[in-house]
Each structure stands twice: as structure tokens, then as C-alpha cells.
Amino acid sequence: MTTPLHLFLDVDGGGWHPAAWRWSRSTPDEVFSPGRLRGFAVTAQAQGLTGLTFEDSPLPDPRNPVGHLDAVQRAAFLAGTTEAVGLLPVAATTYSEPFHVAAQIASLDHSSAGRAGWIATTSSAAVARSVDLPVAQDPAGELADVVHAVRALWDSWEDDAVVRDVATGRYVDRDRLHHVDVDTGRWSVKGPLTVPRSPQGQAVVVVREDDLTHRTDRRTADVVLSGDAGARRSPAGPLVVLDVEVVLDTDAHAAADRLAALDASTPAPDRGRIRWAGPGQALAAWLTDLTGVVDGVRLHAAVLDEDLRALLRTTFPALRAARVLQPPLPGATLRSTLGLERPANRFTTGPALVSTGGDPR
């Protein structure tokens, strides 16, 4: 049997190319349309994709000239529209409050019945200026500390903390709520969280390879996004998902011609991802060859409307015929779909967490 390949699709704006909005069949204002976003989600679920990702930025993005909707809010909007596909928004760590991030993602996990993931990212110095905060000296180290604090907050409610005992008038067993007392010297979080422990225990944490440090190990990240074509999966480490920008042949134009026209409008920056251009059937063959080599692939369409049509006509049918895709089961959590265990709560398996001083373990 062919090893399944987890396939993710990013549905941010008009596509990965900064000129995508010029070539999209959707007008710039329609990029925000709830119907358009819902259509992507329903299509991804019907095609057997593992998850959708939602990029985000507090700064103006040339790919979205009319603005940028919050990634977590977009994912939450789709929680009731879908029943199987995972929902993985970006929530940056460098200038965000860990408590707020923890509450947002835990709420998404509740509203999606356990299908939430969190793409934890760093932010640039320009973001610090836009929110009037000091520039972080070690964004990757900050990411490790924030993820650690968020994971601790997700554990601050034990699984059976909510008792709902009408006879005694007790809704919560306060002995099963815990302070986390995380203190990095730059900020501190006491807890407990305001959101009970979610269906997955902890949402799936995704970190980009460029944001990894010696203090960011498999206890920090469940999934690593890599732009390295030589990346390989490791049974002892987090899952490895390749980040791939795609430009596909359409009925009217070859991929190379489409890319040249896009670049003529606005040259695309190098975002450290693999770039693949050509026929959709050839893309399917390349993805099939990756089964067993990596755990998954995240596709970024150059022009989302156009390239998704090509994926639907050519790539996805070929992958299903090769039995590469394994559709998530309705009602399954994202962790179970990815083959990840539900984490045990640290307060029921060991000593209570103490001040970390910046150590993510």
C-alpha cells in the first residue's frame, strides 16, 4: 500500500505571487468574500486534503492590496462549514501576548471539534515599529518561549476540570485548574487559561524550519514546514511538510508563460520555498514520488483561482488514482489524521510547571 501524503493548501489572498490579484478571476474586493473562502474549504475537504492554512501579517501585503483579514478569524469562520479538513492559521509570536494566542487557538479547536492547528511564526522589526514595541533581539528564541507558554496554558485545565455538578452547584473543580508561572525575564504568564482544555488536548503546533533554534525541538513543534527539497522525514522528530509554490499549465497558457507574465507585473521575492512549474499531471507524479520521503506538502498556488482549477482537473484526480491521498475521516481530530498522539496533561503526569527562565522544556 502506498504511504499516504498529507496535502495542505494555503488559501491566502489571491495567491502566493504578488501580482496574483491582477490576474485572478476574482476582483480585489471579492478576495474577502465569505462565499469564496467557504468554497475553498468545501472543495479541499471533498478532494481529501488534510488541511487549509491561512497566512497573516500585521503589515501591508502587496498580494492583498485591499487589506488582510485576521487568519484565526478566517479559520474560525470555516469551523462550522467543514467537518473533516484541518484549519491551521498563522498567529505570530514575537509581539503577541501568549495568553491571547493560547485562548484564540484553543477556542478554534473547540469550535472545530478538534481540527485546529497553529502556525507559530516570528515577526520582523518593521512589525515592532508598527505596534510601537521594542525590537525583539532574538525572535526565534522568543518563538520557543511563547510556544512553551502556550502549551503550558493549554494544560492549565485538566481534562476533567469541568464537572457541572448541579446538586452541589459546582461547575468547575478548582483543584484541577493550575497556575503555569512561566517567567522569561521579558514577560510572564501565570494562568490558568480562560478556555477549558480542548478536544485535542493541544492543537497541532507548526513551526517553519527557518524559525527553529537549538531550543526548539520536537517537544515544541509537532510539524516543521521546510523549503528544502532535500528534507526527509524522521520517525524520532516532528512531521516534515514541504512548502511548495506551484504554477501550473492552464488550457490557455503554459506555466512558464504565466510565470513570466506575473513577474513582468511584479517580480516575486524569494520566500525560501520550493517552486514547481509545469503540467498538473507531472506535479502529481512528483508528489507521488515524495510519499515515504516527507510526511506532507503544503501547496501555494500562484493565482489561487486559476491554479486551483488546474489542480482539480489534473493533479488531485491523479493522486487519488494512485491512492496517495487519504481523506480525513469526518469527526476525526487533526492530530489523529496526522498520526500524532493526544498529549497527556503535564499536571496529571508529573510535577507542576515552575518558572522557566526562557527554557522551553
Side-chain angles (χ1 to χ4, degrees):
M1 179 179 177
T2 304
T3 304
L5 186 74
H6 295 292
L7 204 60
F8 300 83
L9 176 68
D10 188 74
V11 290
D12 190 56
W16 67 260
H17 200 284
W21 68 276
R22 297 176 180 270
W23 298 83
S24 174
R25 295 189 182 185
S26 300
T27 60
D29 62 304
E30 288 174 337
V31 171
F32 287 166
S33 165
R36 179 175 183 267
L37 189 60
R38 187 185 300 111
F40 290 146
V42 172
T43 298
Q45 181 166 279
Q47 295 297 315
L49 273 61
T50 296
L52 296 175
T53 69
F54 309 83
E55 289 289 333
D56 208 347
S57 173
L59 297 175
D61 187 340
R63 297 173 303 157
N64 299 296
V66 295
H68 210 123
L69 295 182
D70 180 80
V72 178
Q73 297 296 326
R74 281 181 282 154
F77 168 72
L78 295 175
T81 302
T82 55
E83 59 182 8
V85 69
L87 304 170
L88 301 91
V90 161
T93 59
T94 316
Y95 305 106
S96 301
E97 291 290 341
F99 191 96
H100 295 161
V101 173
Q104 280 187 307
I105 302 299
S107 298
L108 176 61
D109 204 40
H110 278 287
S111 62
S112 64
R115 292 180 286 122
W118 169 34
I119 304 177
T121 65
T122 57
S123 297
S124 67
V127 174
R129 292 189 288 271
S130 74
V131 295
D132 196 24
L133 288 173
V135 174
Q137 300 304 308
D138 180 18
E142 187 81 359
L143 182 147
D145 290 340
V146 171
V147 172
H148 167 58
V150 168
R151 284 193 181 277
L153 286 165
W154 285 341
D155 278 353
S156 64
W157 290 61
E158 294 182 27
D159 286 309
D160 52 359
V162 179
V163 294
R164 299 186 182 92
D165 191 337
V166 176
T168 63
R170 232 179 21 137
Y171 193 88
V172 174
D173 183 346
R174 292 186 177 275
D175 291 335
R176 297 174 186 172
L177 270 61
H178 303 276
H179 297 306
V180 300
D181 295 325
V182 177
D183 189 345
T184 67
R186 302 178 305 282
W187 46 262
S188 62
V189 177
K190 188 173 183 64
L193 196 62
T194 53
V195 182
R197 201 162 195 245
S198 65
Q200 295 185 104
Q202 296 189 5
V204 174
V205 177
V206 183
V207 176
R208 292 170 177 150
E209 191 172 45
D210 291 346
D211 290 330
L212 294 177
T213 71
H214 68 284
R215 294 198 291 110
T216 312
D217 59 15
R218 63 192 176 94
R219 289 166 292 187
T220 301
D222 298 304
V223 178
V224 170
L225 293 172
S226 176
D228 181 2
R232 296 291 185 271
R233 65 190 303 229
S234 170
L239 303 184
V240 174
V241 173
L242 293 184
D243 252 337
V244 181
E245 297 176 344
V246 298
V247 189
L248 299 180
D249 291 352
T250 65
D251 291 338
H253 303 286
D257 295 335
R258 293 183 62 224
L259 183 58
L262 288 164
D263 283 340
S265 296
T266 310
D270 182 359
R271 295 188 176 89
R273 302 170 184 154
I274 301 164
R275 187 173 295 176
W276 199 99
Q281 295 91 338
L283 174 61
W286 180 68
L287 292 172
T288 301
D289 289 341
L290 289 174
T291 57
V293 178
V294 295
D295 298 287
V297 172
R298 177 167 68 150
L299 298 176
H300 300 260
V303 180
L304 190 52
D305 295 323
E306 292 294 322
D307 288 289
L308 182 55
R309 286 185 176 87
L311 288 168
L312 290 170
R313 287 197 309 267
T314 58
T315 307
F316 294 159
L319 291 175
R320 284 197 301 276
R323 297 186 178 180
V324 171
L325 296 181
Q326 181 175 305
L329 298 174
T333 68
L334 181 57
R335 281 189 170 275
S336 63
T337 296
L338 293 173
L340 298 171
E341 293 183 356
R342 188 180 192 275
N345 189 301
R346 70 191 67 196
F347 292 102
T348 60
T349 59
L353 185 70
V354 297
S355 176
T356 67
D359 183 352
R361 294 170 291 180

